[in-house]
Amino acid sequence: MHGEVLDEWRKRKNNNKTKKDYSYRIGRTYDDFRNFLVDNPNINVVEMDTVEGIKGGELLFTIMIPCFSLMLAFKIKHKSQEEIGRILDELERKLGRYFYILFHKVIPDNGGEFTDFLILETSIYKDLEKRLEVYYTHTYASYEKPHIENNHILLRWLIKKGYDITILSSNDILSIINRLNNYPRPTKEYKTPLQLLEEKLGYEILELLDLHHIPIEKLNMKDTILKNQERMK
């Protein structure tokens, strides 16, 4: 009798579990993206993610543009679709034509802040049908956006894991991103992301993103680590 009651309880428990709705992925899976690349191998791809500091604190919305090894980061108040949409709206407005050059196809994971593809794709301009197209990785497949995951390792040189991002100012974040993007990349003939970006699109795009070159002899990543650690004391 006890066994029958236990089986019934387990059955009800399983039936009450809410199954995640993956309908947003229809036509937007990573497999769909790979099929698209067969005929469009040179298309520009952007990877997106969020970086957490402490539970309940503010976060960073990170954007990686692999062809330049360029990372952008913006502080958001909470992990929500509205916050991600707000940053993309601001970028579209600020960058103008450069936005559409950089943001063709976008690959986020399946975090709740990314699942409303309409927020991501819908332009701020009514006469433009889409500003970008979104494709989602498989669940638990961070390796499908490897560039941003690898660059997060560099980011953690400058923002220690568990550090409260809330107390970072906009200038702090900009300083960190400038340092990351002035770090020479062996896979790009030891050019920096900013050098690659300027070679392709000119200096104006750097000005619009508030980025600037830092001479290698003045690029000391450890100074930023120490600065952040001092704030935690």
Side-chain angles (χ1 to χ4, degrees):
M1 183 68 178
H2 176 72
E4 292 177 359
V5 172
L6 186 59
D7 288 342
E8 180 65 22
W9 176 81
R10 285 173 176 164
K11 183 178 178 181
R12 290 183 181 181
K13 181 181 179 183
N14 290 332
N15 287 338
N16 288 334
K17 285 183 179 178
T18 302
K19 293 183 178 180
K20 187 169 182 178
D21 181 9
Y22 288 104
S23 60
Y24 64 90
R25 293 161 50 99
I26 297 174
R28 302 171 184 279
T29 66
Y30 194 75
D31 293 328
D32 294 319
F33 169 68
R34 293 183 65 182
N35 291 334
F36 175 84
L37 284 185
V38 172
D39 296 322
N40 304 272
N42 298 318
I43 199 72
N44 198 34
V45 179
V46 171
E47 298 172 3
M48 292 181 175
D49 206 347
T50 52
V51 173
E52 188 177 75
I54 61 172
K55 289 289 183 183
E58 296 183 355
L59 309 93
L60 288 183
F61 169 33
T62 54
I63 298 172
M64 186 72 190
I65 306 175
C67 64
F68 304 118
S69 293
L70 182 81
M71 174 172 273
L72 305 175
F74 305 91
K75 191 161 73 167
I76 55 176
K77 294 184 181 299
H78 38 77
K79 190 182 285 191
S80 71
Q81 300 167 37
E82 291 74 20
E83 282 288 273
I84 300 300
R86 176 180 64 81
I87 297 297
L88 290 177
D89 289 350
E90 291 175 1
L91 279 173
E92 185 182 15
R93 185 176 294 107
K94 187 174 185 178
L95 297 183
R97 66 186 181 89
Y98 293 113
F99 182 91
Y100 313 111
I101 294 173
L102 297 174
F103 292 80
H104 281 288
K105 308 296 178 184
V106 169
I107 302 177
D109 55 28
N110 295 269
E113 69 271 33
F114 297 118
T115 54
D116 189 337
F117 59 83
L118 287 177
I119 288 180
L120 304 182
E121 293 185 347
T122 303
S123 172
I124 59 175
Y125 303 110
K126 293 182 180 180
D127 58 343
L128 187 63
E129 183 180 356
K130 287 183 181 180
R131 60 184 171 193
L132 53 84
E133 287 189 349
V134 181
Y135 293 91
Y136 295 94
T137 63
H138 291 92
T139 53
Y140 307 109
S142 59
Y143 56 85
E144 291 176 345
K145 47 182 181 68
H147 305 92
I148 198 165
E149 297 296 338
N150 288 335
N151 222 59
H152 282 168
I153 296 173
L154 296 181
L155 182 64
R156 287 302 186 188
W157 290 3
L158 308 180
I159 303 177
K160 187 177 179 181
K161 194 168 185 178
Y163 180 75
D164 187 1
I165 292 171
T166 306
I167 66 177
L168 289 175
S169 69
S170 297
N171 286 336
D172 289 331
I173 295 169
L174 195 55
S175 173
I176 289 167
I177 292 306
N178 264 303
R179 287 172 178 265
L180 284 179
N181 288 319
N182 276 281
Y183 190 76
R185 306 304 163 102
T187 58
K188 304 290 187 181
E189 299 180 342
Y190 288 92
K191 292 183 177 181
T192 70
L194 293 193
Q195 288 172 333
L196 294 167
L197 183 63
E198 184 177 1
E199 285 177 5
K200 183 70 174 179
L201 298 178
Y203 187 72
E204 183 184 19
I205 183 67
L206 271 64
E207 291 182 314
L208 291 171
L209 290 169
D210 297 317
L211 300 174
H212 61 272
H213 297 289
I214 301 174
I216 188 65
E217 63 271 14
K218 294 185 178 181
L219 185 66
N220 189 334
M221 310 291 271
K222 187 178 290 186
D223 279 353
T224 306
I225 298 175
L226 294 175
K227 179 182 177 183
N228 286 344
Q229 288 176 338
E230 284 298 317
R231 290 183 180 186
M232 296 179 70
K233 292 180 179 179

Coordinates of all heavy atoms in Angstrom, one line a residue, residues 179 182-184 192 195 213-223:
R179 N 41.3 47.9 -22.3 CA 42.5 47.0 -22.0 C 42.4 45.7 -22.8 O 43.3 45.2 -23.4 CB 42.7 46.8 -20.5 CG 43.2 48.1 -19.8 CD 43.1 47.9 -18.3 NE 43.6 49.0 -17.6 CZ 44.9 49.2 -17.2 NH1 45.8 48.2 -17.4 NH2 45.3 50.3 -16.6
N182 N 43.0 46.0 -26.4 CA 44.4 46.4 -26.8 C 45.4 45.2 -26.5 O 46.6 45.5 -26.6 CB 44.8 47.6 -26.1 CG 44.3 48.9 -26.8 OD1 44.9 49.3 -27.7 ND2 43.2 49.5 -26.3
Y183 N 44.9 44.1 -26.2 CA 45.7 42.9 -25.9 C 46.0 42.2 -27.2 O 45.1 41.7 -27.9 CB 45.0 42.0 -24.9 CG 45.9 40.9 -24.3 CD1 46.8 41.2 -23.4 CD2 45.8 39.6 -24.8 CE1 47.6 40.2 -22.8 CE2 46.5 38.6 -24.3 CZ 47.5 38.9 -23.3 OH 48.3 37.9 -22.8
P184 N 47.3 42.1 -27.6 CA 47.6 41.5 -28.9 C 47.1 40.0 -29.0 O 47.2 39.3 -28.0 CB 49.1 41.6 -29.0 CG 49.5 42.7 -28.1 CD 48.5 42.6 -27.0
T192 N 46.0 43.9 -32.3 CA 45.0 44.0 -31.3 C 43.6 44.1 -32.0 O 43.5 44.4 -33.2 CB 45.2 45.3 -30.5 OG1 44.9 46.4 -31.3 CG2 46.7 45.4 -30.0
Q195 N 43.1 47.4 -33.6 CA 43.8 47.6 -34.8 C 43.1 46.9 -36.0 O 42.9 47.5 -37.1 CB 45.2 47.0 -34.7 CG 46.2 47.8 -33.9 CD 47.5 47.1 -33.6 OE1 47.6 45.9 -33.6 NE2 48.6 47.9 -33.4
H213 N 43.3 53.4 -28.7 CA 44.5 52.5 -28.6 C 45.4 52.8 -27.4 O 45.4 54.0 -26.9 CB 45.4 52.8 -29.9 CG 44.7 52.4 -31.2 ND1 44.5 51.1 -31.5 CD2 44.2 53.2 -32.2 CE1 43.9 51.1 -32.7 NE2 43.7 52.4 -33.1
I214 N 45.9 51.8 -26.8 CA 46.9 51.9 -25.7 C 48.2 51.3 -26.1 O 48.2 50.1 -26.5 CB 46.3 51.1 -24.5 CG1 45.0 51.7 -24.0 CG2 47.3 51.2 -23.3 CD1 44.3 50.9 -22.9
P215 N 49.3 52.0 -26.1 CA 50.6 51.4 -26.4 C 50.9 50.2 -25.6 O 50.6 50.2 -24.4 CB 51.6 52.6 -26.1 CG 50.7 53.8 -26.2 CD 49.4 53.4 -25.7
I216 N 51.5 49.2 -26.2 CA 51.7 47.9 -25.5 C 52.6 48.1 -24.2 O 52.4 47.5 -23.2 CB 52.4 46.9 -26.4 CG1 52.5 45.5 -25.8 CG2 53.8 47.4 -26.9 CD1 51.2 44.9 -25.5
E217 N 53.5 49.1 -24.2 CA 54.3 49.3 -23.1 C 53.6 49.9 -21.9 O 54.0 49.9 -20.7 CB 55.5 50.2 -23.4 CG 55.2 51.6 -23.8 CD 54.9 51.8 -25.3 OE1 54.8 50.7 -26.0 OE2 54.9 52.9 -25.8
K218 N 52.4 50.4 -22.2 CA 51.5 51.0 -21.1 C 50.3 50.1 -20.7 O 49.5 50.4 -19.9 CB 51.0 52.4 -21.5 CG 52.1 53.4 -21.7 CD 51.5 54.8 -22.0 CE 52.5 55.9 -22.1 NZ 52.0 57.2 -22.4
L219 N 50.3 48.9 -21.4 CA 49.2 48.0 -21.1 C 49.6 47.0 -20.0 O 50.3 46.1 -20.2 CB 48.9 47.2 -22.4 CG 47.6 46.3 -22.3 CD1 46.4 47.1 -22.2 CD2 47.5 45.4 -23.6
N220 N 49.1 47.3 -18.8 CA 49.4 46.5 -17.7 C 48.1 45.9 -17.1 O 47.4 46.6 -16.4 CB 50.2 47.3 -16.6 CG 50.7 46.4 -15.5 OD1 50.2 45.3 -15.2 ND2 51.8 46.8 -14.8
M221 N 47.8 44.7 -17.4 CA 46.5 44.1 -17.0 C 46.5 43.9 -15.5 O 45.5 44.0 -14.9 CB 46.3 42.8 -17.7 CG 46.5 42.8 -19.2 SD 45.2 43.7 -20.1 CE 44.0 42.4 -20.3
K222 N 47.7 43.7 -14.9 CA 47.7 43.4 -13.5 C 47.3 44.6 -12.6 O 46.7 44.5 -11.6 CB 49.1 43.0 -13.0 CG 49.2 42.5 -11.6 CD 50.6 42.0 -11.2 CE 50.9 40.7 -12.0 NZ 52.2 40.2 -11.5
D223 N 47.5 45.8 -13.1 CA 47.1 47.0 -12.4 C 45.6 47.0 -12.1 O 45.2 47.4 -11.1 CB 47.6 48.3 -13.2 CG 49.0 48.6 -12.9 OD1 49.6 47.9 -12.1 OD2 49.5 49.5 -13.6

